[in-house]
Amino acid sequence: MIRPGRHEFPLANDLQVLKLPFKEGDLTAQINSEFGLRQLSEIMRALPIYTFYHLIATVFMTFLVEQPKDVLRYWQVASALATVVIVALIFKCRGFQHQPKRAALLLRSMPVVAVAMAAIWSVPATTFINRTSADSAVLIYGITLIIWALGVLTWLRMPSVAVLYASFVGVIMCWSIYTGLPQHQILFALVCAAFWLSLIGFIVTAHIEFERKTRGDLEKSRQGQIIKLLLNDFERDTSDWLWETDANGRLIYYSPRLADVLGLHGQDLHGSEFTALLRTNDCALEADDFQLSPALADAALVQRMTVIADGEQTHWHLKARAVVNEAGQFTGYRGVGHDVTIEHNSAIQIVAAKEAAESASAAKSQFLAVISHELRTPINSIVGFCEVLNSEQSDSFSPADRASYLSSIIESARHLQNLINDILDATRLERGSFQLVEQDTDAAEIVEVTLKMCRNQADDSKINIVANVLEDVSVRGDLTRLKQVMLNLVSNAIKFSPADSVVNVAMQSGPNRELIISVRDAGIGISAEDSVRVFEPFVQIDGASTRSYGGMGLGLAIARRIARLHGGDVTLEGLQGIGTEARLVLPATRVDWPKLISPNSQVAA
């Protein structure tokens, strides 16, 4: 129950700045304040009606009452003043829901107005009835009872004021009936008292029901506000968005984030068909089309899709469930969408990393198998020939046989040394501790020295080498390492070329004045995919091929690393079964070209 002068009403739109979490006392006070505002709102809606009937009843009283004229005039003046005050109060307190001071004024004024109106309408029952005819007295009683009941209905939402008004008028009416009627006074007075008590009971009952219903509505409104705040926080702090459609699949609710991710304005979405909206934004569904149909109302829909919005590719995960009303009828779908682009990309990266790790592991296993074979071969040769020379039969060997054995030991030792050097070079390149010792040298000399070093290998494989070199071309770099690169390229060309074929080595100037040294063979060739993988450490294209041709598979990886340390590169180009062309490219900043390049000279190997 609201007591006069005890409450201050906050602004009704304070709900918009409600903060979580709530304290129970704060929530109760807020509900009580809103409850008081609703009470005042209903009284202010009923007060003009009461005032209108009050004016009509005053006019009727003017025609019904004849005596005393002076009391009638004073009563009419008081009634008119009360009407003016009520009308002024109604106009002054308009919009009191948003003005705490006006609400407080109304709260203080209601008891005063009710008592004043009760006092005004107690006069006819105490003064006018005794001075009029019996028929007029009945009408006066009837009008007074009507105004009495209307007043109770007007102030019904303030039980204390309504009881005060009803009791004031009720006591006067019962006393007037008891003293004014010529007969059956007690019976009519008891009937009037019963009516009075019935009004009070009605006031109490109506107030209890009103309070229950109003508090329930306010609690629902409060819960709606809380849910809205939670949804706003959810939509603001997460990448998810909510949506709901009607039975025809048209959007009736959606989070603002949905418009953002689609690159559309919010007003463009309301009423749009959800699935059609997705199709217009370049959505590529990863399974069957995402259908919203009453025929699928019993199923939970889960769908992944790729969406291109604002030129960016994103990935969504949509989940929806059917919405049914209290009668069990299908009314649409409600769901949530989640941007899973990060998760999608992470999954792809994990798969790629797993495949790379498996590939690296396989390459390393293959490398270990190959290197164990490559190292075992020269070691076995060294150990075997040393045991032969150290045996008791060695005294019977001729000098030529002994020299041959020693030559085999030296050759195997050098081969073992080269293998170990390759492993050490790969390790230093991997760690980044490889350093160049740069000097100026003749490019043609690098080619000529390399071909002389490969002559025995070429003769053993019955390979002819033809070289076209440019004279007086100077390069700056690590001479030893550049020879190592060329030696690797030429020896590979010889290794993979069939007998009686030709390996061509050529020098030329590139479009940007860079130096290009190409080595072309007529061997087994290489695919475009393998021409990239072959430069990775521990990667060999074919283990069987590697064992057939020998080598550990580190040569090209080391060659490319050395070339790139010089600012250049090593590339492979060819087709399987036709041949391969390897190129060493050195940048123009490391090449000193002669003013006039002489015709290509040919060096026979």
Side-chain angles (χ1 to χ4, degrees), residues 423-434 561:
I423 296 173
L424 294 176
D425 287 343
T427 303
R428 286 186 293 168
L429 286 168
E430 193 70 26
R431 290 201 311 259
S433 61
F434 196 94
R561 294 286 186 89

Side-chain angles (χ1 to χ4, degrees), residues 329-468:
Q329 297 175 337
F330 172 75
T331 59
Y333 275 98
R334 182 183 298 127
V336 61
H338 180 60
D339 190 335
V340 294
T341 303
I342 297 177
E343 293 86 342
H344 179 85
N345 294 338
S346 298
I348 293 177
Q349 292 173 1
I350 290 173
V351 172
K354 180 176 179 293
E355 292 177 351
E358 292 175 350
S359 176
S361 177
K364 191 169 294 185
S365 299
Q366 180 181 351
F367 169 76
L368 292 175
V370 171
I371 195 174
S372 64
H373 170 75
E374 292 294 329
L375 292 177
R376 188 181 297 113
T377 300
I379 290 176
N380 289 339
S381 176
I382 294 171
V383 172
F385 284 114
C386 288
E387 288 178 348
V388 171
L389 292 174
N390 193 42
S391 65
E392 295 179 354
Q393 294 83 5
S394 62
D395 294 338
S396 62
F397 291 162
S398 65
D401 291 336
R402 189 180 298 275
S404 175
Y405 292 156
L406 290 174
S407 176
S408 297
I409 292 173
I410 294 172
E411 184 180 351
S412 297
R414 287 176 178 171
H415 179 56
L416 180 62
Q417 183 184 32
N418 290 334
L419 294 177
I420 295 174
N421 286 336
D422 283 346
I423 296 173
L424 294 176
D425 287 343
T427 303
R428 286 186 293 168
L429 286 168
E430 193 70 26
R431 290 201 311 259
S433 61
F434 196 94
Q435 294 182 351
L436 300 178
V437 180
E438 299 187 12
Q439 63 184 43
D440 292 328
T441 187
D442 187 12
E445 181 182 351
I446 296 175
V447 175
E448 291 172 1
V449 171
T450 302
L451 297 183
K452 289 179 181 179
M453 295 176 65
C454 295
R455 178 174 296 173
N456 290 335
Q457 181 186 2
D459 291 341
D460 293 341
S461 301
K462 299 180 181 181
I463 302 297
N464 295 320
I465 302 179
V466 177
N468 297 323

Side-chain angles (χ1 to χ4, degrees), residues 7-8 10 23-35:
H7 294 272
E8 292 184 1
K23 294 181 180 179
E24 185 176 357
D26 295 340
L27 182 60
T28 303
Q30 185 75 14
I31 292 177
N32 286 338
S33 299
E34 294 172 6
F35 180 70

Side-chain angles (χ1 to χ4, degrees), residues 83-138:
T83 302
V84 172
V85 170
I86 292 175
V87 172
L89 190 64
I90 292 173
F91 279 95
K92 181 176 178 58
C93 294
R94 286 182 301 176
F96 70 91
Q97 294 89 346
H98 306 287
Q99 298 292 333
K101 292 183 179 179
R102 294 183 181 181
L105 175 61
L106 276 177
L107 191 64
R108 290 190 294 267
S109 301
M110 286 300 108
V112 177
V113 173
V115 170
M117 297 305 293
I120 289 173
W121 283 102
S122 66
V123 173
T126 57
T127 305
F128 299 149
I129 289 178
N130 298 328
R131 307 292 181 89
T132 58
S133 61
D135 294 336
S136 297
V138 173

